[in-house]
């Protein structure tokens, strides 16, 4: 790895009850990146995570608001560096790949380099999780641009201008979705590097709740589409309301044309209401699209306030 000595790089590790895994993470990243500090942010752990992390040589800090999103918000606000390596504290990510990710970011001047998970171990990456990741990644990249294959990876390198322009509004595991959309929405220069993914060490347990967290991520995607692509979101609602109104209204109109009467008045009122909701949805989409454009311009200007990442 050929990086200048003046380059400031930090490793950020959010942790919650990772007493078993965190010493392995610190040891492996110290071996892979011996010249850079490792910050472990303890998120109200009930075990000895903070103690063993400090003993292993990490700089330990605390975030009391529960949730990975809160920890990342605090990390990004507190730490100053040129590049930030974010990795989960569960010892499932390949520390030896960190120099590759970092050099990719430095050589290409990328604002984000994503560590795409590759594994043949079902214990590490269960089929249900693989399918869920593909579906959720497909939804996000279908709307915001197909530039990543693993949206939910917890292993990434960020530039300073990414970190300092990232709003960090999420609270939990859905923060990876927010990180991805931030990069795609602002058309940042990004890259993806395959990395090996393994199972947790014995005695370590995942905090991921598959259905609960999957639903939260899906809700976050819907909210982000509503906020960042309101015309698309409300056009879909417009189409649904209009289709329902037409389906209910056509028999009423045919009865009226045939008999001159409206025998199903409640259905007629409902169909009329649905068509009116359709028109209102279209109007909301047009208005909010203008608002979203203004917000996007402001976010772009905030992003451009920071210098481009150092590069070769």
């Amino acid at each position: 790895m050929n990086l200048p000595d003046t380059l400031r790089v930090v490793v950020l590790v959010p942790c919650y009850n990772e007493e078993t895994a965190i010493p392995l993470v610190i040891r492996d990243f110290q071996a892979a990146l011996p010249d850079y500090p490792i910050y472990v942010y303890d998120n109200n752990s009930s075990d000895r995570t903070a103690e063993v992390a400090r003993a292993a040589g990490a700089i330990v800090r605390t975030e009391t608001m529960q949730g990975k999103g809160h920890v990342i918000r605090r990390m990004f606000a507190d730490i100053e560096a040129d590049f930030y390596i974010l990795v989960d504290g569960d010892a499932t990510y390949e520390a030896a790949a960190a120099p590759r990710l970092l050099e990719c970011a430095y050589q290409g001047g990328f604002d984000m380099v994503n560590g795409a998970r590759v594994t043949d171990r079902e214990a590490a990456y269960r089929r249900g999780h693989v399918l869920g990741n593909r579906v959720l990644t497909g939804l996000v990249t279908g709307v915001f641009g197909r530039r990543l294959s693993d949206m939910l990876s917890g292993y990434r390198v960020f530039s300073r201008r990414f970190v300092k322009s990232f709003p960090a509004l999420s609270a939990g595991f859905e923060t990876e979705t927010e990180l991805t959309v931030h990069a795609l929405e602002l058309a940042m220069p990004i890259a993806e590097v395959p990395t090996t993914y393994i199972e947790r060490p014995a005695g370590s347990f995942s905090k991921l709740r598959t259905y609960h967290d999957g639903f939260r991520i899906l809700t976050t995607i819907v909210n982000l589409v509503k906020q960042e692509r309101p015309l698309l979101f409300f056009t879909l609602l417009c189409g649904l309301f209009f289709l329902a109104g037409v389906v209910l209204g056509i028999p009423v109109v045919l009865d009226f044309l045939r008999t001159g009467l409206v025998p199903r008045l409640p259905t007629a009122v409902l169909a009329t209401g649905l068509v009116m909701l359709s028109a209102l949805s279209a109007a909301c989409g047009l208005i909010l699209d203008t608002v979203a454009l203004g917000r996007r311009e402001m976010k772009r200007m905030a992003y451009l306030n920071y210098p481009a990442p150092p590069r070769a």
Side-chain angles (χ1 to χ4, degrees):
M1 187 171 61
N2 188 21
L3 301 178
D5 294 336
T6 56
L7 197 68
R8 296 175 300 168
V9 178
V10 296
V11 179
L12 304 179
V13 189
C15 271
Y16 173 64
N17 287 346
E18 295 291 2
E19 177 184 348
T20 301
I22 194 60
L24 304 177
V25 176
I26 295 169
R27 181 200 65 196
D28 291 346
F29 273 90
Q30 285 172 337
L33 300 169
D35 299 325
Y36 303 125
I38 300 172
Y39 288 84
V40 171
Y41 272 67
D42 180 55
N43 193 207
N44 301 317
S45 296
S46 58
D47 61 8
R48 298 171 59 249
T49 293
E51 181 182 337
V52 298
R54 191 176 291 110
I59 301 168
V60 178
R61 295 182 177 175
T62 302
E63 170 54 50
T64 57
M65 295 181 68
Q66 195 66 45
K68 185 177 180 179
H70 293 305
V71 179
I72 288 177
R73 183 187 304 117
R74 180 69 177 273
M75 287 175 161
F76 285 3
D78 287 356
I79 307 298
E80 298 292 334
D82 295 315
F83 287 105
Y84 302 74
I85 301 174
L86 178 69
V87 65
D88 290 344
D90 55 8
T92 59
Y93 291 95
E94 181 188 6
R100 299 203 314 270
L101 271 69
L102 183 57
E103 190 158 20
C104 177
Y106 177 69
Q107 295 290 338
F110 294 115
D111 285 306
M112 182 177 80
V113 177
N114 191 51
R117 293 169 290 181
V118 177
T119 187
D120 57 0
R121 306 185 189 185
E122 189 170 344
Y125 204 7
R126 288 175 287 176
R127 292 181 182 179
H129 289 180
V130 173
L131 177 61
N133 187 19
R134 287 177 179 172
V135 170
L136 295 172
T137 299
L139 286 173
V140 167
T141 56
V143 174
F144 295 99
R146 297 185 180 280
R147 301 172 63 198
L148 294 175
S149 64
D150 186 5
M151 178 190 74
L152 300 180
S153 173
Y155 194 14
R156 309 184 191 213
V157 175
F158 302 106
S159 70
R160 184 172 187 273
R161 69 179 177 183
F162 181 105
V163 165
K164 298 305 180 181
S165 66
F166 178 60
L169 302 177
S170 298
F173 284 107
E174 65 273 18
T175 190
E176 278 95 358
T177 303
E178 192 182 13
L179 289 165
T180 301
V181 170
H182 182 61
L184 298 178
E185 178 69 3
L186 295 185
M188 294 182 186
I190 63 175
E192 192 168 62
V193 174
T195 61
T196 302
Y197 189 64
I198 62 173
E199 65 272 16
R200 282 173 164 270
S204 174
F205 301 97
S206 174
K207 293 31 168 223
L208 180 66
R209 294 170 291 177
T210 302
Y211 297 106
H212 178 270
D213 290 320
F215 179 76
R216 286 184 63 176
I217 292 169
L218 183 59
T219 302
T220 299
I221 293 172
V222 172
N223 285 331
L224 287 170
V225 172
K226 176 175 64 69
Q227 293 165 13
E228 307 297 341
R229 295 288 190 273
L231 186 58
L232 171 63
F233 181 84
F234 284 99
T235 297
L236 291 174
L237 284 183
C238 169
L240 289 173
F241 286 137
F242 184 77
L243 180 62
V246 168
V247 169
L248 290 172
I250 284 178
V252 176
V253 172
L254 292 177
D255 285 344
F256 177 76
L257 293 175
R258 187 173 63 253
T259 65
L261 301 174
V262 183
R264 290 182 287 181
L265 184 59
T267 303
V269 172
L270 177 59
T272 302
L274 288 170
V275 172
M276 291 176 65
L277 284 174
S278 173
L280 285 172
S281 295
C284 287
L286 290 170
I287 294 169
L288 291 176
D289 189 58
T290 303
V291 175
L293 176 62
R295 291 177 59 249
R296 193 153 56 245
E297 290 172 346
M298 292 295 292
K299 286 191 290 185
R300 183 71 185 178
M301 295 304 294
Y303 163 77
L304 294 174
N305 276 333
Y306 297 95
R311 63 181 301 178

